[in-house]
Amino acid sequence: MTKPIYVLNGPNLNLLGSREPQVYGSETLEDVRARCERKAAKLGFAIDFRQSNHEGELVAWIQEAKEKATGLIVNAGAFTHSSIAMLDALLASELPCVEVHLSNIFRRESFRHNSYISKGAKGVICGFGPLGYELAIEALAASLEPKKAL
Ligand code: DQA
């Protein structure tokens, strides 16, 4: 059995659907999970989809991923702009990671323009809402199994 792709979501993403819908849209995190499961299944991957409001828990999950996952998709929420600890965990994991943001962080406040996570990511997808998660799964799948790439 191939190991799953861990899809990790940071703080406040549990509020999707009701949180600033003009910025983040109307889909809930459960809707996003369903999209990810469908997309991954089509490409022959399993996912393990999680959310936490706690930086330490996210760090622990990234550490766990080193042994248990084949790759990572991370929307670190506001920790994107502050968490050297999450970056260090990503670098230590040596796993391919795609960073995702629902919103285009570069069209927003300047404090959102810097991502600590990006240095540990293969690539970044932002601004496409929940579709970004599906694009990230496709990109990760293509880098894990280039022969199967679309
Ligand atoms: C976000 C962007 C972050 O700046 C913000 O703090 C979030 C969500 C996004 O998905 O657009 O919580 O990561």
Side-chain angles (χ1 to χ4, degrees), residues 10-13 16 19 23-24 75-81 100-105 108-109 111-112 126-127 133:
N12 299 305
L13 290 164
L16 274 189
R19 170 195 187 198
V23 178
Y24 298 114
N75 182 350
F79 292 148
T80 305
H81 319 296
V100 175
H101 301 285
L102 295 150
S103 63
N104 180 350
I105 54 175
R108 302 184 63 196
E109 303 95 324
F111 61 81
R112 295 186 203 274
C126 75
Y133 283 74

Side-chain angles (χ1 to χ4, degrees), residues 39-147:
K39 184 70 183 185
K42 267 191 200 153
L43 296 170
F45 287 88
I47 59 157
D48 192 327
F49 190 98
R50 306 180 189 183
Q51 187 276 332
S52 177
N53 291 325
H54 304 279
E55 185 178 9
E57 188 162 36
L58 290 157
V59 167
W61 287 344
I62 296 169
Q63 291 181 4
E64 175 191 310
K66 186 174 171 53
E67 307 306 325
K68 298 201 174 150
T70 188
L72 285 159
I73 291 171
V74 177
N75 182 350
F79 292 148
T80 305
H81 319 296
S82 65
S83 182
I84 298 169
M86 283 186 72
L87 169 62
D88 284 348
L90 283 175
L91 293 172
S93 79
E94 295 176 342
L95 286 170
C97 169
V98 180
E99 176 182 350
V100 175
H101 301 285
L102 295 150
S103 63
N104 180 350
I105 54 175
F106 300 103
R107 289 184 69 172
R108 302 184 63 196
E109 303 95 324
S110 57
F111 61 81
R112 295 186 203 274
H113 296 179
N114 179 57
S115 164
Y116 283 100
I117 308 301
S118 294
K119 196 176 167 14
K122 230 177 138 55
V124 183
I125 295 171
C126 75
F128 296 101
L131 174 66
Y133 283 74
E134 296 187 60
L135 299 174
I137 289 172
E138 202 164 313
L140 197 58
S143 78
L144 289 166
E145 294 193 11
K147 284 191 198 125

